[in-house]
Amino acid sequence: MEEKSTWARLRWPIKAIIIAVPILAIGYWAMQSGKFDTTLAVKPDSTNINATGPATSGSENIRSFNYQPEKPVDGEYKGVVEVGASGFNSFVVNMDKENRWEIISKDFGKSFAYEGLANTEDIRKGLKDYIGMMLDKGVKSKNIHFVISSGAQKEPKTTVISSELRKMGFVVNLVTAEQEGKLALKSVLPKSYEDNSFVVDIGSGNTKISWIEGDTKSVEAPGAKYYEKDLKDDAVYAEVKKLGEKIPASKREVCFIIGGVPFELASQTRQGEERFTVLNDPASYKTDKIKTKSGVNIYKALKDATNCDTFVFDWDANFTIGFLLSLNK
């Protein structure tokens, strides 16, 4: 009978231990030396916020607003330049006789005209650039309009800008804060939401709050640059909250909101090129920028006054587009 080897005579548990010991030893050495990385790679979140902008808590789910406006039929291109409290903005829209419209282009200018960095010739050149851009897009000269916002009218250089426009043969349209609020509503509030919603435009110079109650109601509050007037956060919060409480309870289901600070906030969570972005709760926005912080204070006051939990930013609407709609007889 053939004699078994020493290995063959060992029982299977002993064999398993003998095999396992060197494997475990090699594995332990590999982990300690960094040969194996035990941390799984995490794919970056595509909704992460740019570190240079206001941060959000990240705890809120991103909400969508799927309303789609009707497209214009056999429309005509029209252009408008807004002379605002923080600079020039321009819009080209395709608009039909039924006031259906869509944005063709929008350009948000810098505030050079109000920071002592421009002389008369610079202002004239800047205006010519805006006009030339509109003409290049197919807007007829007769369909180009200039509107000076209520906030901008409080700026000394507005007089110079108005003078230059008139020298160039253009009509300068001045609007009050009340008119501005009504025009903002005309551009941003869909007819299907007139019975349950209100509109807010947080500008640099003032804030306009509007809603439909028989006719269009509009009230004015401080703008996002209220700190330049030495107004305190608490006082502005109280004033805006008091005005927000005037909005009828039936109109508080949705707020359509536009303006510079809402633009910044909506930029945090926009998912692509959607027309509407739902803002997060105001408490979730953290920033070191004083204008943004002040605008969020206004936003919080409105939310607290109305208990509205759906503030929808419209990426295309502007009160000056409402001005064009008001001309469309």
Side-chain angles (χ1 to χ4, degrees):
M1 181 177 181
E2 183 180 355
E3 186 178 354
K4 294 183 178 180
S5 67
T6 302
W7 175 258
R9 289 198 299 269
L10 292 174
R11 294 180 177 275
W12 68 266
I14 302 299
K15 292 179 180 178
I17 292 172
I18 293 172
I19 294 170
V21 167
I23 294 175
L24 291 173
I26 292 170
Y28 177 77
W29 168 82
M31 287 187 290
Q32 291 297 313
S33 64
K35 298 296 184 182
F36 296 154
D37 185 1
T38 58
T39 303
L40 294 176
V42 179
K43 183 179 180 181
D45 187 349
S46 61
T47 62
N48 280 351
I49 296 165
N50 190 315
T52 61
T56 68
S57 64
S59 61
E60 297 186 61
N61 292 325
I62 296 174
R63 300 164 60 193
S64 61
F65 187 78
N66 296 320
Y67 171 79
Q68 292 294 330
E70 289 185 70
K71 294 284 187 180
V73 178
D74 295 327
E76 184 178 15
Y77 280 17
K78 298 186 178 183
V80 61
V81 176
E82 172 197 357
V83 182
S86 290
F88 299 115
N89 301 319
S90 68
F91 306 88
V92 173
V93 299
N94 180 22
M95 182 182 302
D96 69 13
K97 294 180 180 179
E98 301 299 321
N99 273 359
R100 292 175 295 226
W101 64 273
E102 63 179 347
I103 202 80
I104 301 301
S105 71
K106 48 191 173 182
D107 183 59
F108 298 93
K110 297 180 180 179
S111 57
F112 66 89
Y114 302 115
E115 295 174 355
L117 303 177
N119 54 36
T120 302
E121 185 56 36
D122 291 332
I123 293 171
R124 176 180 282 261
K125 182 179 183 302
L127 293 170
K128 284 183 176 179
D129 288 343
Y130 277 113
I131 295 166
M133 179 273 293
M134 291 184 181
L135 294 173
D136 289 344
K137 291 186 179 296
V139 182
K140 297 176 182 177
S141 180
K142 68 175 184 178
N143 287 334
I144 297 176
H145 302 272
F146 289 86
V147 178
I148 299 185
S149 72
S150 55
Q153 291 172 44
K154 302 172 185 177
E155 299 288 343
K157 284 214 170 184
T158 299
T159 303
V160 180
I161 295 169
S162 299
S163 176
E164 290 304 309
L165 284 169
R166 291 189 177 97
K167 288 178 184 177
M168 296 166 67
F170 289 95
V171 174
V172 179
N173 300 280
L174 304 179
V175 295
T176 66
E178 181 180 5
Q179 290 171 330
E180 208 169 309
K182 292 178 179 180
L183 293 173
L185 182 143
K186 186 180 286 288
S187 74
V188 72
L189 184 63
K191 287 189 177 297
S192 55
Y193 283 85
E194 289 181 355
D195 293 336
N196 64 357
S197 304
F198 66 104
V199 171
V200 172
D201 181 355
I202 302 179
S204 296
N206 52 24
T207 295
K208 286 73 59 179
I209 307 165
S210 54
W211 65 92
I212 294 178
E213 188 179 5
D215 56 358
T216 302
K217 308 294 183 182
S218 180
V219 294
E220 179 185 11
K225 285 189 173 182
Y226 61 76
Y227 51 86
E228 292 183 345
K229 303 174 184 176
D230 294 325
L231 297 175
K232 303 302 181 184
D233 291 342
D234 290 347
V236 170
Y237 173 90
E239 181 179 349
V240 174
K241 188 172 185 291
K242 185 175 181 180
L243 290 172
E245 289 169 349
K246 292 184 177 183
I247 302 169
S250 62
K251 307 288 184 179
R252 301 179 181 184
E253 187 173 326
V254 178
C255 173
F256 291 87
I257 188 167
I258 56 177
V261 171
F263 173 93
E264 290 186 41
L265 303 184
S267 298
Q268 310 300 314
T269 50
R270 194 180 192 188
Q271 295 299 289
E273 296 298 322
E274 76 269 15
R275 166 80 181 263
F276 301 99
T277 298
V278 181
L279 300 188
N280 285 340
D281 187 90
S284 71
Y285 295 104
K286 311 298 180 186
T287 179
D288 293 328
K289 294 170 63 177
I290 185 169
K291 179 181 175 182
T292 307
K293 181 181 177 182
S294 299
V296 170
N297 184 45
I298 294 170
Y299 171 27
K300 184 178 187 303
L302 288 165
K303 183 175 176 62
D304 292 347
T306 61
N307 289 319
C308 176
D309 70 348
T310 305
F311 284 76
V312 180
F313 179 75
D314 186 338
W315 288 90
D316 290 348
N318 180 276
F319 84 92
T320 57
I321 295 175
F323 174 80
L324 292 179
L325 293 169
S326 70
L327 299 177
N328 198 21
K329 305 299 183 182

